Amino acid sequence: MAPDRDSDSRRKRPARLVEAITNPGAVKINVKGAFIVDDELRSRSPVEAEGVHYENKDIRLPHHTGVVSHVAVDIGGSLIKLVYFTRELDAADNGGRLNFINFETHRIDICINFIRQLKEEHEKNNTATKDELCVEALDVNILREEEMECLIIGLDFFITEIPNEVFTYNDTDTEPMQFAEARPNVYPYLLVNIGSGVSMIKVSGPNKFQRVGGTHLGGGTFWGLMSLLTGARTFDDMLAMADRGDNSGVDMLVGDIYGMDYSKIGLKSTAIASTFGKVFRLKNAAERGAEDGEGLYHDDSEQANGNGGVNFQHEDMSRSLLYAISNNIGQIAYLQSEKHEVKHIYFGGSFIRGHRQTMNTLSYAIRFWSKGEKQAYFLRHEGYLGAVGAFIRRQPQNWGRRNSLDEVVAPQAVRNLAQNTVLTQQNGSSSS
């Protein structure tokens, strides 16, 4: 009988390494002292290609020194979000960090090649053979997780475990971005996850949640319409256009109709009465001028083509669409929070990208419709909730929250929060 070289190879390795490779869920990741790396910019992304974005917001885990043999991938309609762990053997504490990178979904070949590189590096550093790391192209095991569960697991982890992750935003304040203090009554809350489309999920406790609504007008809508109207190729280019734009060039404002504020019903003159409402009127006016012999305004630029000679700026259209989609999501989120009696609303998803206009529009919508009674919250890793949730699903119960719908004990931090919430509700009931 031929010798089992695979078994011999296993016997030569430390038991901890073998267990980590064959059973990723056995890895005990230590999050003590975890923090977001703010004062360090990577010289370059590990992948230099169009449609790839590396987040310079690693989460440092100074006390974790064990082997992590898996990566987590969240494949969406527009973006692939990937979370992976790297050791830092040259650091004084020998800790490590969670890394975050995303790929446009149509560049999945680049993503697969990057995962292959991570796998090869892992094998080299941990003397593992390819047969022992559990898609044919990668020679790895694929473990599928449930999307909504992972979103909530990821969000709960960020809320309870990572300092300076959650914040509010209001551009009328001297410091628009304010980090939120941890609350004992985390639940219930509403998660509004904005990807290609939008899902809204009510979370009532550590293992209790339901999708209560959503809208198909999301990031994919913005991306698709902007590519048709402007020819822009990347989402970041479109957001940069919105930064430079003036939506009054295409939107009909309250002031365009009334000539002033409509204070009796609480509307400022700058409030949007109709998204893209000026386009048809200006185009018709230009055409009538041409018929009357006044001549039609001509512009040889690409922006004028198809608009009857009227020049609508790409930047103005981008800002208008961004406002339209963000306002729509904000209003629906408010209505869902009212229907389900939820005060705190978390916005996640890759549509946000830490973009100040997007966050301010969503935040303003919640404050306006709730008359200041409800609060919008944002996250510094808003696009990676699902990927982090999937990463944690492969972890034991002492790191983050795992198996949201399974009968598994939550970490002490989450159990404390849940217990405090129950006590607060009981005290409120007894005093009423």
Side-chain angles (χ1 to χ4, degrees), residues 255-382:
D256 295 323
I257 300 173
Y258 299 104
M260 62 184 74
D261 294 346
Y262 198 160
S263 55
K264 184 173 286 188
I265 59 174
L267 293 177
K268 296 181 179 179
S269 62
T270 55
I272 301 171
S274 175
T275 298
F276 271 57
K278 280 183 182 174
V279 173
F280 184 73
R281 187 180 69 182
L282 292 175
K283 185 172 182 293
N284 277 358
E287 290 173 347
R288 285 196 303 271
E291 293 172 358
D292 293 339
E294 297 175 5
L296 190 65
Y297 173 74
H298 290 287
D299 189 324
D300 293 332
S301 70
E302 181 183 351
Q303 294 172 351
N305 294 339
N307 291 324
V310 182
N311 186 14
F312 298 113
Q313 300 292 328
H314 290 178
E315 291 80 2
D316 297 349
M317 292 187 285
S318 181
R319 194 159 189 143
S320 172
L321 279 173
L322 187 71
Y323 280 160
I325 293 170
S326 300
N327 274 315
N328 182 62
I329 294 171
Q331 186 172 16
I332 295 175
Y334 161 74
L335 293 173
Q336 290 289 1
S337 71
E338 281 288 283
K339 179 179 179 181
H340 296 280
E341 300 180 337
V342 175
K343 184 176 181 181
H344 304 288
I345 305 169
Y346 291 85
F347 288 94
S350 297
F351 172 74
I352 300 173
R353 300 274 185 111
H355 189 250
R356 59 182 183 82
Q357 291 176 357
T358 305
M359 294 187 298
N360 195 65
T361 303
L362 292 168
S363 186
Y364 178 81
I366 298 302
R367 289 197 312 273
F368 177 84
W369 292 110
S370 71
K371 296 180 172 60
E373 293 182 0
K374 298 180 187 291
Q375 179 68 63
Y377 295 94
F378 304 93
L379 298 104
R380 300 184 66 192
H381 295 90
E382 74 275 279

Side-chain angles (χ1 to χ4, degrees), residues 8 11 53 56 79 82 88 156 172 230 274-275 305 337 341 344 358 378 380 391 401 405:
D8 291 339
R11 282 194 291 270
H53 177 68
N56 285 303
L79 293 175
L82 191 148
E88 294 188 320
D156 274 0
T172 63
T230 71
S274 175
T275 298
N305 294 339
S337 71
E341 300 180 337
H344 304 288
T358 305
F378 304 93
R380 300 184 66 192
F391 196 92
R401 192 164 69 76
L405 291 180

Side-chain angles (χ1 to χ4, degrees), residues 141-160:
N141 285 342
I142 304 297
L143 304 174
R144 187 174 63 182
E145 302 291 351
E146 205 284 321
E147 180 184 8
M148 294 301 167
E149 291 180 31
C150 289
L151 286 173
I152 302 307
I153 293 170
L155 178 54
D156 274 0
F157 169 73
F158 282 127
I159 292 174
T160 60

